[in-house]
Amino acid sequence: MGGDLASYDRSLIFGVYSTINVIVFMSGVLIFMMQAGFMMLETGGMSRKNAINNIFKNFVDACVCGIFFYWFGYPILTGDSILVDWMREMGFAHTTENTSPGPIVTLNDDISLFFNFAFAATCVTICSGAVTGRIAPYAYLFFGAVFSALIYPVVAFTVWNPDGMLYGVIHDFAGSLVVHGLGGFAGLAGAIMLRPRIGEFNFGRGQIDSYRFAGSSISNAAHNIPISALGVFFLWIGWYGFNAGSTFAAGFDLSEIDLSATQDQPDMIANAIFEQLIGGFGQVVINTTLAPCAAVFSVLAFFMVTQNKYNISDLMNGALAGLVGITANADAATAPIAVLIGVLSGAVYVIAVIFMFRAKIDDPIGAFPVHGAVGLFAGGMFALTTGDMELGPIVFGTQMFYGAMICLFGFLSALVTFWVASRLMYVIKKLGNSQYFDYGPMPRNHLRVTPEQELAGMDLELHGQDAYSINLTAPGKAKTTF
């Protein structure tokens, strides 16, 4: 609990305390379910030969994040870390005497930890879609550990902790910049360092067998769009926890409850408290529904204007772009503004996809267009909620400047992290006299698996399994593989 609560009825305090903790816990569960959504989206959108590897990355990185965020990341986010003390000494953080000046009912510490862990896990997993299909698993897990323990917590502290330098300077309600922009730009860094998958943008032509190269692009194609679609629905559902749960992430100020209208109707006090407690929560839910719907029509309009066939993967990513766009602004936007934000988010997604194609950057799932590009512009779109033609451009410029700094920090941090990971992979291979040095005529890149592993598929080469193989062995029957 925080602030002066002595003047408030105990039943009111504990009622609010119980309500917000239950809501935030259930929201955290929904957010954690987004891990399943990312896993299905990525697995279905990639080659069948890497299905198990995609499951492995998404499953194990959540476990890595759980350990490293608990021990290192969360203390940074809350300001109880040696690193934050150093930041204060260097002038990169403030020291706030009283972080709860009003009658604030705060979250239980463990519920807050779980909720923030779900955010951190989401940020890390976003990068997976940009580097999938060729990254060495241990290099990716090293990245996940560093981002969970250090990079994401530092950014979250800077923006959301009252001691952070950007607290109150920029508006990022539930993490368009802190979670999605950071993760998306980290994914961009990884995609650039890894270079494309063999067969994409003619990468590998003339360096591997021409017959195998001819089939590589075909084998890279999405193999299970229905499971990707199911993953998008899981993500959309989880996003209600992401945005609506953030309503109470910092607790609840009891001074916002006005019971003056119930003085003559004491039996209506409970209803009045509930309505005022949940009022803003409901608006966030509506905005989180409208923005992705509008974004889908924005992407659909692009296909209609250009007379291209309606690519369902782009339409689904359009919905995710709308969700990213509204995440920074769900608490401040009206319903019409939420629709406008969705339309603009869809347009930014399309532009970013075109940019990635022309730059020949291989982002198999579209992590950067959805999370990075839209996440950055989502911060700027907060200006739409001001309703002021004079103030709006100033707000837009401020949001975009600091948002760009956050994304640049994520990009550069990821470059350094992936470079260190490549050096560690080299040392591990060298000490272990590994066979995975054989890159043939291809450029040696220890962030990547070898060309042979990539072409054959990481499921069999690294995991010794086939995601769609069923072996039936019974007395008197031959072993059959479907």
Side-chain angles (χ1 to χ4, degrees), residues 259-410:
L259 301 179
S260 59
T262 63
Q263 291 181 351
D264 299 328
Q265 298 174 297
D267 56 324
M268 297 298 292
I269 291 179
N271 287 339
I273 293 173
F274 186 78
E275 287 294 330
Q276 294 178 56
L277 184 64
I278 303 298
F281 182 91
Q283 184 61 43
V284 170
V285 170
I286 295 300
N287 290 339
T288 305
T289 303
L290 293 175
C293 294
V296 169
F297 283 102
S298 180
V299 177
L300 187 61
F302 167 79
F303 288 123
M304 295 174 66
V305 170
T306 58
Q307 297 184 351
N308 287 320
K309 294 182 179 179
Y310 309 142
N311 186 298
I312 189 61
S313 295
D314 282 321
L315 293 175
M316 293 189 298
N317 274 349
L320 298 180
L323 288 163
V324 172
I326 198 59
T327 296
N329 313 296
D331 63 324
T334 60
I337 293 298
V339 171
L340 178 57
I341 288 174
V343 170
L344 294 175
S345 298
V348 171
Y349 164 75
V350 170
I351 294 170
V353 168
I354 295 172
F355 162 78
M356 296 288 280
F357 180 79
R358 293 185 176 177
K360 296 184 179 180
I361 300 173
D362 185 20
D363 182 352
I365 308 300
F368 173 74
V370 170
H371 302 277
V374 177
L376 172 58
F377 279 91
M381 286 189 285
F382 174 66
L384 296 173
T385 67
T386 64
D388 190 324
M389 294 298 292
E390 295 183 1
L391 181 62
I394 298 174
V395 172
F396 178 80
T398 302
Q399 291 278 123
M400 288 298 293
F401 174 78
Y402 288 113
M405 293 300 101
I406 290 171
C407 293
L408 179 62
F409 176 75

Side-chain angles (χ1 to χ4, degrees), residues 82-95 154 157-158 162-167 169 402:
I82 296 175
L83 176 62
V84 176
D85 292 337
W86 176 83
M87 291 172 64
R88 290 189 178 104
E89 292 177 3
M90 298 296 293
F92 295 118
H94 308 300
T95 301
V154 166
F157 167 83
T158 302
D163 287 354
M165 287 190 67
L166 296 182
Y167 181 78
V169 177
Y402 288 113

Side-chain angles (χ1 to χ4, degrees), residues 6-227:
S7 61
Y8 287 84
D9 182 75
R10 290 176 61 86
S11 61
L12 170 62
I13 295 172
F14 287 108
V16 171
Y17 179 76
S18 300
T19 300
I20 66 173
N21 275 280
V22 169
I23 288 176
V24 171
F25 168 69
M26 294 306 300
S27 296
V29 171
L30 288 175
I31 299 169
F32 191 60
M33 284 179 61
M34 292 174 71
Q35 297 294 314
F38 281 117
M39 182 189 71
M40 288 188 286
L41 174 63
E42 187 177 323
T43 300
M46 288 292 295
S47 167
R48 70 181 300 278
K49 66 184 180 182
N50 293 323
I52 289 175
N53 182 256
N54 285 318
I55 295 170
F56 169 84
K57 284 196 290 86
N58 284 272
F59 182 77
V60 179
D61 79 358
C63 301
V64 168
C65 181
I67 297 297
F68 281 85
F69 185 75
Y70 176 81
W71 286 111
F72 305 104
Y74 189 65
I76 294 174
L77 195 154
T78 58
D80 298 322
S81 167
I82 296 175
L83 176 62
V84 176
D85 292 337
W86 176 83
M87 291 172 64
R88 290 189 178 104
E89 292 177 3
M90 298 296 293
F92 295 118
H94 308 300
T95 301
T96 304
E97 295 298 330
N98 185 1
T99 59
S100 299
I104 306 294
V105 177
T106 56
L107 292 177
N108 173 273
D109 288 341
D110 293 330
I111 297 296
S112 178
L113 168 59
F114 171 67
F115 186 73
N116 282 284
F117 151 69
F119 269 57
T122 300
C123 180
V124 172
T125 303
I126 286 168
C127 182
S128 174
V131 301
T132 190
R134 71 273 203 207
I135 192 169
Y138 294 131
Y140 173 73
L141 295 181
F142 175 81
F143 161 84
V146 172
F147 252 67
S148 302
L150 181 62
I151 308 303
Y152 168 78
V154 166
V155 174
F157 167 83
T158 302
V159 176
W160 287 332
N161 191 295
D163 287 354
M165 287 190 67
L166 296 182
Y167 181 78
V169 177
I170 63 172
H171 184 90
D172 188 12
F173 173 62
S176 288
L177 291 167
V178 174
V179 177
H180 299 279
L182 186 69
F185 273 84
L188 176 64
I192 292 173
M193 290 192 70
L194 283 164
R195 305 184 72 181
R197 292 164 291 167
I198 295 175
E200 299 299 316
F201 303 114
N202 279 327
F203 184 72
R205 179 182 289 277
Q207 297 172 317
I208 63 172
D209 179 79
S210 58
Y211 177 78
R212 300 188 75 183
F213 178 82
S216 61
S217 181
I218 298 173
S219 68
N220 286 337
H223 81 282
N224 196 331
I225 297 298
I227 198 172

